[in-house]
Amino acid sequence: RCRACNTCVETCEAGAPELLPPPKHTAWIDPVICTGCGTCAAVCPSNAICGGATDDERLEAIIAAILS
């Protein structure tokens, strides 16, 4: 659903989203940097982002980054 409009990148104060280069041409949100605030999800015109929650995958990524 992401159309790589860059809105999430421009909105996120933590700098978690980034646009992937072609051929993917989509946004990716770094789970280690993401604070889970949900701002990017609120402004996404494609409704392509689910945000504002912490799941097991995100917690594991944060723990792995801290331990490395």
Side-chain angles (χ1 to χ4, degrees):
R1 292 163 83 186
C2 177
R3 54 186 173 186
C5 68
N6 208 40
T7 302
C8 58
V9 175
E10 294 170 352
T11 304
C12 181
E13 292 182 8
E18 64 180 76
L19 293 181
L20 298 177
K24 296 242 179 196
H25 201 65
T26 186
W28 177 76
I29 299 174
D30 188 330
V32 175
I33 299 172
C34 178
T35 63
C37 70
T39 302
C40 58
V43 299
C44 179
S46 301
N47 294 318
I49 305 170
C50 298
T54 302
D55 59 12
D56 289 344
E57 182 180 339
R58 182 170 176 267
L59 288 175
E60 289 173 9
I62 292 168
I63 292 169
I66 291 170
L67 296 175
S68 62

